[in-house]
Amino acid sequence: MAEMIVFIIFAAVALIGAISMVAASNPVYSVIGLLATMFAIAVLYLMLDAHFVAAIQVIIYAGAVMTLFLFVIMLIGVDTSDVYGAQTLRQRVMTGIVALTFFASIALAGRTVWITGSDAFGKPNLNGTAEAVAGELFGTWTIVFLSTVMLLTIAAVGTIALAYFPQDGTQDEVPR
Amino acid sequence: MSFLIEAGIKVTFAFVFLLLTVLALVWVERKFVSDLQNRIGPDRAGPWGILQTLADGLKAFFKESITPSRAEVGLYIAAPIVSMVLAFLMFLVIPIGAPIEINGNVYTLQVMDLNVGVLYILAISSVAVYAITLAGWSSGSKYPMLGSVRASAQMISYEAVMGLALVPVVMFTGTMSLSAIVEAQQGTFGGFIPAWNVVLLPSFVIFLIAGFAETNRAPFDLVEAEQELVGGFHTEYSGMRFALFFLAEYINVFNIAALTTTLFLGGWAGPVFGPTVLQWILPTFWFLLKTWLIVLFFVWVRASLPRMRYDQLMNFGWKKLIPLSLVWIIFTAIALGFRKFGAPWV
């Protein structure tokens, strides 16, 4: 019962945060809305005994990604008198189609029985501890994990290469 | 139900403890700095001016809390509260003494023992930057804005440094729970040298430096550099709201000192002897002694070192500390591998 109440509260916070992120006219409030969603999702992870994932969720998303968003928004400057362009008919039709697809898929998904919870798969309540996650990552899924590491490293190096060495042959002085 | 009562008592105690600590901390800092600078320091309120902080707090309480006309009111009011709450939350996982056994029930002197305690610390300190950033932005004024942009850049950079400095500790002790890390540091090497994690010396030094940057204290106090930014992110704050920021900053100093003690200096480990009551009190005494020595070190550094320039700060973080800690992580991993599996050529 207590678990249900906590779930309802934080699910509501997550949804309200998500909506306010889209609806806010000021980008800083959008960031705060998304931040609330991130925290609420971290709490939901905690309820599934995924402590490690919850901590990582807060560190990476709330701590790093959203701080970066906020930093960029503040650096560019927030103009509160920013007027968003009026919606065209085409945009409205597209929005309608997307919304319909979304709700239809929710309705379809709701017909399936979803098994959740920490002991849904008959495993002990260790699923979310750092040791268990590490065991999976460095034991069962080592190759996949290392491939992801390679992919991210290559992406980072590629981004730097694209930024430093433009395609048109002119090479800027590499900033130090 | 008894769980809730125990938690309630612990949280209340932690809150009162932190407030009293800050009262003492501010006084100690002012006295110590004035000694180092050949001044007298506060000496009017109470013996040796010991009540000065209390008087300042009361004054802040009765002053007007000004809200600038261009401020975003909601965030402007929320920022100091968030800052204070996060500083308080960080303290909750730090064990301040050995577990006490009364009538067969074991009580831990720690509000909560998380199995991801180290990650919790990193999570809280990475969120702490929001309070400062939003305070600066919502003030609707230039200097706070500049201060908060600096703050977010600085705190993100040194957040990474701090995280990397903690990795060798976790690898060495094999756990992320702070109480288990303290347990792992009991005992001695060769009978007389305490088996503290301070053997990971580079980690210890890097963590302390990152701690200075995370708490925005000299020599990394660019966030509130008085000569350039008036007061930085809290320029527009007054009265109790300013006092909350002040409180949060000093709680953070104490937290970093307590964390350094817990992670590297053996926490409450120390010689314990005498009757039962003394055996309960002594671990806490050792913990507080070590923590206050670190706090005094913070104050000493503040009085000794000039503020760094901004580019020096960034270069130091990204080009020196991060590569250094990465090399140290690899070295620790190889050393631990040798210890566990033996040398590959044997």
Side-chain angles (χ1 to χ4, degrees):
Chain A
M1 190 58 206
E3 197 171 343
M4 193 67 180
I5 295 170
V6 174
F7 173 78
I8 289 173
I9 291 173
F10 283 96
V13 170
L15 286 178
I16 293 169
I19 292 171
S20 70
M21 182 218 138
V22 186
S25 58
N26 190 329
V28 173
Y29 286 102
S30 295
V31 168
I32 293 169
L34 193 51
L35 194 62
T37 306
M38 297 297 183
F39 273 112
I41 290 175
V43 174
L44 296 187
Y45 284 141
L46 273 185
M47 290 175 57
L48 297 170
D49 287 334
H51 307 133
F52 180 74
V53 184
I56 292 297
Q57 163 89 9
V58 174
I59 295 175
I60 304 288
Y61 286 101
V65 176
M66 298 314 295
T67 318
L68 210 60
F69 279 15
L70 197 60
F71 185 64
V72 170
I73 288 171
M74 294 203 329
L75 212 59
I76 293 172
V78 186
D79 196 357
T80 41
S81 65
D82 233 357
V83 180
Y84 291 85
Q87 290 177 341
T88 61
L89 182 67
R90 186 156 157 264
Q91 277 177 329
R92 285 175 193 238
V93 173
M94 296 290 269
T95 317
I97 293 172
V98 170
L100 264 182
T101 323
F102 178 68
F103 285 115
S105 46
I106 286 185
L108 270 180
R111 295 164 69 89
T112 323
V113 179
W114 294 89
I115 304 170
T116 56
S118 53
D119 39 27
F121 304 104
K123 282 186 183 173
N125 262 3
L126 285 172
N127 294 343
T129 62
E131 290 87 351
V133 173
E136 289 291 311
L137 276 186
F138 295 105
T140 318
W141 305 105
T142 314
I143 305 288
V144 181
F145 181 69
L146 290 181
S147 315
T148 318
V149 171
M150 286 298 285
L151 191 69
L152 288 175
T153 313
I154 292 168
V157 173
T159 316
I160 293 171
L162 282 176
Y164 277 6
F165 310 109
Q167 296 298 306
D168 55 359
T170 61
Q171 186 182 339
D172 292 346
E173 192 187 341
V174 176
R176 273 178 294 166
Chain B
M1 206 59 204
S2 66
F3 166 75
L4 279 182
I5 294 170
E6 193 187 331
I9 292 173
K10 278 179 175 177
V11 168
T12 316
F13 176 80
F15 190 68
V16 174
F17 175 79
L18 278 182
L19 288 185
L20 290 178
T21 301
V22 170
L23 279 185
L25 185 50
V26 175
W27 178 75
V28 166
E29 168 158 40
R30 291 181 70 176
K31 269 299 192 195
F32 195 46
V33 168
S34 57
D35 281 354
L36 290 170
Q37 294 171 342
N38 244 341
R39 296 184 286 115
I40 296 172
D43 69 340
R44 297 291 118 176
W48 309 290
I50 202 164
L51 295 176
Q52 186 63 46
T53 325
L54 202 63
D56 288 347
L58 275 176
K59 187 189 78 170
F61 206 74
F62 288 111
K63 283 186 89 169
E64 182 188 359
S65 290
I66 299 166
T67 308
S69 56
R70 294 186 59 189
E72 297 274 337
V73 179
L75 287 178
Y76 180 78
I77 295 174
I81 301 172
V82 171
S83 157
M84 170 74 200
V85 167
L86 287 174
F88 178 62
L89 280 180
M90 169 104 77
F91 179 74
L92 298 184
V93 290
I94 301 173
I96 63 165
I100 291 175
E101 191 179 333
I102 303 171
N103 295 336
N105 295 326
V106 178
Y107 298 98
T108 52
L109 294 186
Q110 177 185 20
V111 178
M112 51 187 182
D113 184 16
L114 298 178
N115 62 4
V116 286
V118 172
L119 291 178
Y120 173 87
I121 297 288
L122 288 177
I124 296 289
S125 65
S126 71
V127 174
V129 67
Y130 283 106
I132 290 177
T133 314
L134 291 176
W137 176 76
S138 65
S139 297
S141 165
K142 289 188 193 68
Y143 291 120
M145 180 72 192
L146 287 172
S148 66
V149 170
R150 277 186 182 185
S152 42
Q154 171 180 335
M155 288 174 87
I156 294 173
S157 310
Y158 280 83
E159 184 67 39
V161 176
M162 185 181 257
L164 289 175
L166 290 181
V167 174
V169 177
V170 174
M171 287 198 299
F172 190 66
T173 53
T175 174
M176 288 199 199
S177 150
L178 291 185
S179 62
I181 287 178
V182 175
E183 293 286 348
Q185 296 176 73
Q186 306 290 322
T188 50
F189 297 128
F192 59 96
I193 305 168
W196 295 347
N197 283 341
V198 78
V199 290
L200 306 165
L201 195 63
S203 277
F204 175 65
V205 175
I206 292 170
F207 183 84
L208 260 189
I209 295 174
F212 283 113
E214 282 289 304
T215 47
N216 298 323
R217 285 178 61 87
F220 299 115
D221 58 345
L222 293 117
V223 173
E224 40 195 296
E226 288 85 357
Q227 293 86 342
E228 304 156 24
L229 297 176
V230 188
F233 67 94
H234 57 59
T235 304
E236 302 289 345
Y237 282 88
S238 61
M240 205 53 209
R241 293 178 192 154
F242 171 75
L244 281 180
F245 273 128
F246 199 72
L247 207 59
E249 181 179 330
Y250 278 89
I251 293 180
N252 275 329
V253 171
F254 184 76
N255 279 342
I256 292 289
L259 271 178
T260 314
T261 307
T262 307
L263 293 168
F264 296 102
L265 299 179
W268 42 261
V272 171
F273 48 82
T276 322
V277 177
L278 202 60
Q279 287 186 4
W280 288 346
I281 295 172
L282 270 178
T284 310
F285 172 75
W286 294 124
F287 172 81
L288 289 177
L289 181 72
K290 292 173 198 170
T291 306
W292 277 96
L293 284 178
I294 300 279
V295 167
L296 286 182
F297 178 70
F298 267 66
V299 178
W300 182 22
V301 168
R302 180 198 145 174
S304 316
L305 292 182
R307 183 181 302 135
M308 289 177 97
R309 222 169 49 217
Y310 194 69
D311 57 326
Q312 291 173 333
L313 173 93
M314 282 298 162
N315 279 343
F316 188 57
W318 288 102
K319 295 188 180 170
K320 301 224 167 62
L321 289 183
I322 289 186
L324 181 67
S325 37
L326 285 175
V327 169
W328 176 241
I329 287 174
I330 294 172
F331 181 80
T332 317
I334 293 174
L336 289 176
F338 273 6
R339 199 169 77 167
K340 187 166 182 185
F341 304 112
W345 56 82
V346 180

